[in-house]
Amino acid sequence: MSNAKSWLGLGMSLYFWGLMDLTTTVLSSTPTPRGRLEGLLSNKPQSHQRTKRSWVWNQFFVLEEYTGTDPLYVGKLHSDMDRGDGSIKYILSGEGAGIAFTIDDTTGDIHAIQRLDREERAQYTLRAQALDRRTGRPMEPESEFIIKIQDINDNEPKFLDGPYVATVPEMSPVGTSVIQVTATDADDPTYGNSARVVYSILQGQPYFSVDSKTGVIRTALTNMDREAKEYYEVIIQAKDMGGQLGGLAGTTTVNITLSDVNDNPPRFPQKHYQMSVLESAPISSTVGRVFAKDLDEGINAEMKYTIVDGDGADAFDINTDPNFQVGIITVKKPLSFESKKSYTLKVEGANPHLEMRFLNLGPFQDTTTVHISVEDVDEPPVFEPGFYFVEVPEDVAIGTTIQIISAKDPDVTNNSIRYSIDRSSDPGRFFYVDITTGALMTARPLDREEYSWHNITVLAMEMNNPSQVGSVSVTIKVLDVNDNAPEFPRFYEAFVCENAKAGQLIQTVSAVDQDDPHNGQHFYYSLAPDAVSNPNFTVRDNQDNTARILTRRSGFRQQEQSVFYLPILIADSGQPALSSTGTLTIQVCSCDDDGHVMSCSPEAYMLPVSLSRGALIAILACIFVLLVLVLLILSMRRHRKQPYIIDDEENIHENIVRYDDEGGGEEDTEAFDIAAMWNPREAQAGAAPKTRQDMLPEIESLSRYVPQTCAVNSTVHSYVLAKLYEADMDLWAPPFDSLQTYMFEGDGSVAGSLSSLQSATSDSEQSFDFLTDWGPRFRKLAELYGASEGPAPLW
């Protein structure tokens, strides 16, 4: 029968009474204040027999954090086979064996040799065995037992999530939950009060309170104002042992911020603003800024500014700057110092986002008064109206006033205005504006067929400040007058058959007219007065701006006359009616019986007699002699010099210029003062130095030399402009202010002398046809002197 074993704790041996042949092994330990017998562990019984226990086990308990110098006695291991003679050897194995715990192999006493911490390890599982010291044979089967570490209050509560940050709205009611804090204690919560934590507030009263059990922090004071104090530092303590004396404590910090609510209405720090703006300020330019102070922040401090009253509501506008919450006053329409010098605005600033529970703290808007002064600036002249449209007939006389352009200085000083035309808008110089009156006149003849519209820009300049220049557009429509006679659109050439009959149609003609009458064109056709009695052809008007050319007879013959020239008179329906004569060329042709042209060339006729060879030689010899004489005469004229000197009594003008070499022509005017024509008084004074006057004077320059008493007289301007245009167009007129003569014209000229002075005393019937042979440089002279009339056309 197997031996029975048991373990006894706390120095006591328990036996299973009533068991036969029971052998007991005792496990004992030194009694401690907290030691006690935990129980027995036994083997499971086998079926059909009673099994005896071999070991009796108890749990061992040992205090943590032992600080003594000697090993701590835990308990004793004893086997009933041990006779006390040292033949039994006890062995300890398992968790902490040899490191934390040791056993006396002879006596079986177990000691703790290391400081134990329950929070690191709450219990150790060990194995015990008894061996025969001589043979090493196990005397007992190996069995397990547990050593539990008994807790003491050696850990203070800790806030693992601290420090805390929390936010609560300002003005919150008392008891509003802010945040919950939690402290943990590493001690054994199942043993005593070591892990029982109680919360309390060390700093933060009377503003906040904490629940002692849950750690929930709440507001404890009403009407906490963020604008007065925004940040709070609250210190919370957690103490174990239920808060009793001797308990351990831990603390944490809770930083609480009061968030903003809209509990402060906006207020303008200034009830009156004074601003100024230039009258030339463009639209949308900034005049000034106003600011309503709001102690709130974020969305609760947003502002909306409006103009609620004042005489400047239509002249100014106000907008809110979203970044700085200021009201920006801007110009809404053009300002005028002369019209209104100051404005008054009543501006309101209001919170757009309101909270209903704080409406009793309002009103949440405020008003201020803004005075705006308009400052005067020197503005350019202003035209009234701002655009001109003028209709003028194309036959208007030069110098006629077609429109009075009016501009004025908008400033209080009302400076004098001087008018001019922007020459880039009138390159043809068709118009002239009076420098003082603004009268717009014609300076050149107008031709609707050339330019039907003129768009010019008239400038107005302040007399005292030339930098101030205003401008206005003037659109001029040239009205049509009947100044163009109708004419054939092309050269008409027709043919008539020799076998044509009387009344046969040979051509239909039409005409064009550059004029554009309101009622449309209507032309009338007839034979020219000198061809009314034409026996060959006649004209029939179709009354649709075309005409038919018919034969009056038959029996045309190429041998008699191969070409006819028929003058046709074309008249329009204008007032007055204009007419022109066009010529229709009619060739006589040979045709077949169907009227198809066969030939329009006249047959060649041979001379009835033939010239002899001697006659031909005589004719050629005469022609050669004539050519030689002509060349000799031309050579003599080319090398002949005829200086022309005018005596003092024959002086044509008071300014006679003589040159010792070839002059520069009409452009060389350095020797005389052209201003003598404009103002004789300046010419007499002779103070101004003489300068070249190669360029024609500007039309505006004319008025500067005209006395002011005459400047307002449009007749004077009309006369001068007409004479100026006449002088420009007359190629034969000498210079207006001087006569220039030359002692000689230089050597080497292929043309010889071209002087026309004293030409009346020379051969006035001389021929100038030779000028056409001198090249393009003398083409103009050839056209003026060498034109010859051709034979009159036949009809």
Side-chain angles (χ1 to χ4, degrees):
M1 185 174 85
S2 62
N3 296 327
K5 295 168 284 182
S6 65
W7 293 90
L8 178 66
L10 300 177
M12 299 178 63
S13 297
L14 296 180
Y15 298 91
F16 288 91
W17 301 98
L19 298 178
M20 297 179 66
D21 300 330
L22 176 64
T23 302
T24 305
T25 300
V26 180
L27 175 64
S28 64
S29 65
T30 302
T32 64
R34 298 187 182 185
R36 62 185 178 89
L37 182 63
E38 283 292 319
L40 300 176
L41 299 177
S42 62
N43 294 331
K44 294 182 180 180
Q46 301 294 327
S47 59
H48 307 292
Q49 65 179 3
R50 180 179 296 172
T51 303
K52 298 181 179 178
R53 306 269 180 146
S54 298
W55 294 86
V56 178
W57 290 99
N58 280 325
Q59 291 184 350
F60 291 97
F61 294 89
V62 60
L63 289 175
E64 65 173 337
E65 304 293 343
Y66 173 72
T67 60
T69 57
D70 297 331
L72 178 64
Y73 183 75
V74 177
K76 186 177 181 63
L77 184 64
H78 183 73
S79 174
D80 57 355
M81 299 180 67
D82 187 359
R83 305 300 182 190
D85 55 359
S87 62
I88 300 299
K89 181 179 181 180
Y90 295 98
I91 296 176
L92 186 67
S93 63
E95 297 175 349
I99 299 175
F101 303 97
T102 61
I103 188 171
D104 189 323
D105 59 356
T106 301
T107 63
D109 293 334
I110 301 174
H111 292 82
I113 61 175
Q114 192 180 56
R115 185 176 180 179
L116 304 176
D117 188 357
R118 190 200 67 83
E119 285 71 36
E120 292 182 0
R121 195 179 187 91
Q123 65 181 18
Y124 293 86
T125 302
L126 298 172
R127 293 183 296 277
Q129 191 172 27
L131 302 177
D132 188 327
R133 188 180 295 273
R134 292 190 302 271
T135 63
R137 182 175 60 84
M139 301 298 292
E140 301 289 347
E142 186 179 56
S143 297
E144 289 184 351
F145 65 93
I146 297 174
I147 299 177
K148 287 191 175 182
I149 309 302
Q150 191 173 3
D151 181 52
I152 64 173
N153 190 19
D154 61 339
N155 291 278
E156 74 277 4
K158 294 182 180 180
F159 294 91
L160 301 181
D161 296 330
Y164 295 86
V165 177
T167 302
V168 62
E170 63 173 332
M171 310 299 287
S172 295
V174 175
T176 302
S177 177
V178 179
I179 192 174
Q180 182 179 16
V181 295
T182 302
T184 59
D185 196 322
D187 294 327
D188 188 0
T190 64
Y191 181 77
N193 295 326
S194 298
R196 181 185 172 192
V197 177
V198 174
Y199 298 95
S200 62
I201 184 167
L202 300 182
Q203 177 180 313
Q205 294 176 330
Y207 307 104
F208 299 96
S209 64
V210 63
D211 189 292
S212 61
K213 294 182 179 180
T214 62
V216 175
I217 301 176
R218 303 179 186 274
T219 58
L221 191 65
T222 184
N223 297 332
M224 285 193 295
D225 192 0
R226 183 198 66 84
E227 289 73 30
K229 186 176 182 180
E230 184 175 3
Y231 300 102
Y232 294 86
E233 185 179 75
V234 179
I235 298 178
I236 301 297
Q237 175 184 269
K239 189 175 184 179
D240 58 12
M241 298 298 292
Q244 297 177 5
L245 185 64
L248 301 179
T251 61
T252 188
T253 301
V254 182
N255 295 310
I256 301 176
T257 302
L258 296 184
S259 61
D260 185 61
V261 297
N262 193 8
D263 60 337
N264 291 278
R267 292 293 179 261
F268 283 100
Q270 292 180 239
K271 287 300 181 181
H272 298 279
Y273 287 85
Q274 185 67 42
M275 302 178 183
S276 62
V277 61
L278 298 176
E279 63 173 334
S280 60
I283 295 177
S284 298
S285 60
T286 300
V287 178
R289 291 172 171 82
V290 296
F291 175 65
K293 186 176 182 180
D294 193 329
L295 297 178
D296 297 322
E297 63 181 9
I299 191 174
N300 299 313
E302 289 186 3
M303 300 296 299
K304 181 179 181 182
Y305 296 92
T306 54
I307 299 175
V308 296
D309 199 4
D311 58 357
D314 59 339
F316 299 94
D317 199 1
I318 189 168
N319 300 292
T320 303
D321 186 340
N323 297 322
F324 301 100
Q325 300 302 321
V326 297
I328 303 175
I329 300 177
T330 57
V331 178
K332 187 176 181 180
K333 72 175 186 178
L335 305 175
S336 175
F337 173 82
E338 292 73 26
S339 300
K340 191 172 179 61
K341 297 179 176 59
S342 64
Y343 295 88
T344 301
L345 304 176
K346 186 176 181 182
V347 177
E348 179 186 82
N351 289 140
H353 306 286
L354 302 179
E355 294 191 27
M356 301 302 296
R357 61 193 181 103
F358 298 120
L359 290 180
N360 60 320
L361 302 177
F364 285 82
Q365 67 266 353
D366 195 17
T367 59
T368 186
T369 303
V370 181
H371 297 282
I372 302 177
S373 300
V374 180
E375 296 183 358
D376 188 26
V377 296
D378 192 4
E379 299 175 282
V382 177
F383 288 88
E384 294 181 359
F387 174 77
Y388 287 89
F389 176 75
V390 183
E391 293 182 337
V392 58
E394 61 178 325
D395 61 348
V396 65
I398 296 177
T400 301
T401 299
I402 60 175
Q403 180 68 46
I404 300 296
I405 307 298
S406 177
K408 69 175 183 178
D409 184 4
D411 300 320
V412 177
T413 55
N414 194 19
N415 293 324
S416 299
I417 305 297
R418 293 294 178 264
Y419 299 92
S420 62
I421 295 179
D422 184 357
R423 283 306 171 196
S424 62
S425 64
D426 184 27
R429 299 178 182 266
F430 288 96
F431 302 96
Y432 160 76
V433 65
D434 186 86
I435 193 171
T436 56
T437 64
L440 184 63
M441 310 176 192
T442 56
R444 291 184 57 187
L446 303 179
D447 188 358
R448 188 202 65 84
E449 288 70 36
E450 183 179 4
Y451 298 105
S452 59
W453 292 87
H454 295 270
N455 294 292
I456 65 174
T457 300
V458 177
L459 307 177
M461 179 186 67
E462 289 187 13
M463 195 68 165
N464 297 335
N465 188 0
S467 63
Q468 296 296 332
V469 179
S471 63
V472 68
S473 296
V474 182
T475 299
I476 302 171
K477 179 181 181 181
V478 181
L479 301 178
D480 183 56
V481 296
N482 193 27
D483 59 346
N484 291 280
E487 58 186 4
F488 286 144
R490 57 184 177 85
F491 174 73
Y492 278 110
E493 185 176 12
F495 68 91
V496 60
C497 294
E498 290 182 321
N499 56 358
K501 298 179 181 180
Q504 182 175 336
L505 174 65
I506 61 172
Q507 182 68 41
T508 299
V509 296
S510 61
V512 294
D513 193 334
Q514 296 183 7
D515 295 325
D516 186 18
H518 294 290
N519 299 326
Q521 299 282 7
H522 188 72
F523 303 132
Y524 303 95
Y525 300 88
S526 62
L527 291 176
D530 54 351
V532 173
S533 58
N534 188 306
N536 302 313
F537 305 98
T538 185
V539 176
R540 297 287 177 85
D541 195 334
N542 295 328
Q543 301 299 318
D544 60 355
N545 292 339
T546 62
R548 294 174 296 167
I549 311 301
L550 305 176
T551 58
R552 280 188 172 181
R553 66 178 180 88
S554 60
F556 294 94
R557 294 292 182 268
Q558 287 184 352
Q559 293 80 1
E560 297 178 358
Q561 187 171 348
S562 61
V563 179
F564 293 89
Y565 298 97
L566 182 66
I568 301 175
L569 181 65
I570 312 170
D572 58 21
S573 58
Q575 296 294 331
L578 298 180
S579 62
S580 67
T581 301
T583 301
L584 174 64
T585 302
I586 303 174
Q587 290 187 353
V588 179
C589 301
S590 298
C591 303
D592 57 15
D593 294 339
D594 296 330
H596 298 122
V597 176
M598 298 174 59
S599 173
C600 293
S601 300
E603 298 177 357
Y605 295 95
M606 299 300 294
L607 292 176
V609 293
S610 59
L611 297 177
S612 63
R613 181 177 297 176
L616 291 176
I617 294 174
I619 292 174
L620 292 176
C622 292
I623 293 175
F624 178 75
V625 172
L626 290 176
L627 290 175
V628 171
L629 291 176
V630 170
L631 292 177
L632 180 61
I633 293 173
L634 292 177
S635 177
M636 293 177 63
R637 287 174 59 86
R638 183 177 299 110
H639 294 86
R640 183 175 57 188
K641 298 180 180 179
Q642 297 180 358
Y644 178 73
I645 302 177
I646 302 178
D647 296 332
D648 293 340
E649 62 271 16
E650 297 178 355
N651 188 4
I652 300 177
H653 194 274
E654 74 276 11
N655 188 12
I656 303 298
V657 182
R658 294 183 175 86
Y659 291 82
D660 293 331
D661 55 0
E662 183 175 1
E666 291 182 356
E667 292 183 356
D668 191 357
T669 58
E670 186 176 7
F672 58 87
D673 187 8
I674 198 171
M677 181 184 73
W678 294 333
N679 196 336
R681 290 177 295 181
E682 294 185 5
Q684 294 173 4
K690 297 179 180 180
T691 58
R692 296 191 64 89
Q693 304 293 330
D694 296 340
M695 301 300 294
L696 289 176
E698 289 286 339
I699 296 178
E700 291 82 0
S701 302
L702 186 61
S703 296
R704 282 181 282 169
Y705 298 96
V706 176
Q708 293 300 316
T709 57
C710 299
V712 298
N713 192 343
S714 62
T715 305
V716 175
H717 293 291
S718 302
Y719 174 78
V720 174
L721 292 174
K723 288 299 182 182
L724 179 61
Y725 177 75
E726 182 181 349
D728 290 340
M729 296 294 105
D730 190 357
L731 301 177
W732 299 96
F736 190 80
D737 58 341
S738 66
L739 174 65
Q740 302 182 31
T741 60
Y742 302 92
M743 295 300 294
F744 59 91
E745 297 184 25
D747 297 329
S749 175
V750 297
S753 176
L754 301 178
S755 176
S756 61
L757 299 178
Q758 298 180 347
S759 61
T761 61
S762 63
D763 185 8
S764 61
E765 299 300 326
Q766 62 179 322
S767 173
F768 294 94
D769 293 339
F770 58 90
L771 294 176
T772 57
D773 301 329
W774 289 356
R777 297 177 60 186
F778 299 93
R779 182 178 300 165
K780 188 64 177 180
L781 289 176
E783 295 175 358
L784 297 176
Y785 292 94
S788 59
E789 297 182 357
L794 299 177
W795 42 263

